[in-house]
Amino acid sequence: TNGELIIDNNNVAYSSMTSIVNGTYTFDSITVSKKSTLNITSGDILTIGDFNIKEGGIVMQSGNITINNFVLEGGGTFYCNAGEFKATASGINIGNGGVFYLNTKLSLSNLTIVSGGILTHSQQDADFDLEVSNNLTIETGGKITADGKGYPTSSGPGRNTGSWGGGGYGGSGGHGLYGGQGGIVYGNMIEPIDLGSGGDYSEGSGG
């Protein structure tokens, strides 16, 4: 066997992340849990049988990984930032409480998002690029979302121009109280590729 790697921070938050010494490695399994963070850097090439991210575990990926079985659930977070992410023909599942941040290009054969699972991208990162060749399954309660992931409050091409105004994009931002103007229209409503603008900070959030 190739052994297993367990990263467990005993539910102590805000500790430094764990990095693997640059190189090529094969593991039967890797488990990241209990508020620990694993940093897979650009110098890493990993082949993993079972990859488990749960119970507040966080993985930051910039290196190359090949995975047989991917489990993301129960408060686990995965950042796919760069490098190559290869899954077996069965694809990957984003489980209940799992959040997958896609900030680069990702090609999968199959993707299932169960109830409570989320696929999104980091705020102000417009590199989300997903291709699923066979089946994309989103169960009731699962979602692919970019809500609040655009420009921060009161910024962007369609930012508000008055107090409490909404941010614009494919349509004008809503007017706020006391005559506050919403943001202008820009981008493409049918095939949106630009980030949304943020509304006024008093009542809103990022675009």
Side-chain angles (χ1 to χ4, degrees):
T1 65
N2 296 295
E4 59 181 345
L5 175 63
I6 299 174
I7 302 173
D8 183 330
N9 208 45
N10 199 29
N11 286 321
V12 178
Y14 310 115
S15 295
S16 59
M17 62 180 64
T18 299
S19 297
I20 298 175
V21 177
N22 289 353
T24 301
Y25 304 95
T26 299
F27 295 97
D28 291 331
S29 68
I30 295 179
T31 299
V32 183
S33 64
K34 296 183 179 179
K35 299 184 180 179
S36 59
T37 301
L38 172 63
N39 185 28
I40 302 173
T41 66
S42 59
D44 294 325
I45 301 174
L46 305 182
T47 300
I48 307 165
D50 296 319
F51 201 177
N52 306 293
I53 307 109
K54 57 186 180 179
E55 298 176 17
I58 300 171
V59 175
M60 315 283 289
Q61 179 223 339
S62 296
N64 297 332
I65 58 176
T66 301
I67 302 167
N68 182 54
N69 182 43
F70 183 80
V71 177
L72 177 64
E73 62 185 5
T77 305
F78 189 93
Y79 290 86
C80 186
N81 294 324
E84 191 171 55
F85 183 110
K86 287 184 180 180
T88 60
S90 60
I92 69 171
N93 285 9
I94 301 175
N96 182 23
V99 182
F100 192 109
Y101 288 87
L102 178 57
N103 300 319
T104 184
K105 180 178 177 60
L106 176 62
S107 297
L108 298 169
S109 56
N110 298 287
L111 170 61
T112 300
I113 306 173
V114 307
S115 179
I118 298 173
L119 174 62
T120 186
H121 64 81
S122 297
Q123 187 169 8
Q124 285 191 271
D125 193 314
D127 294 323
F128 182 107
D129 187 352
L130 174 66
E131 178 183 306
V132 180
S133 57
N134 291 324
N135 297 315
L136 170 59
T137 304
I138 305 174
E139 298 181 359
T140 301
K143 59 184 176 180
I144 298 176
T145 179
D147 290 352
K149 300 299 184 179
Y151 292 97
T153 54
S154 297
S155 61
R159 63 185 179 276
N160 62 295
T161 57
S163 296
W164 295 7
Y169 180 73
S172 299
H175 293 334
L177 295 176
Y178 314 116
Q181 297 295 302
I184 62 171
V185 177
Y186 68 101
N188 189 320
M189 183 173 63
I190 298 174
E191 296 182 0
I193 59 172
D194 302 297
L195 296 172
S197 295
D200 183 64
Y201 71 91
S202 299
E203 293 292 329
S205 60

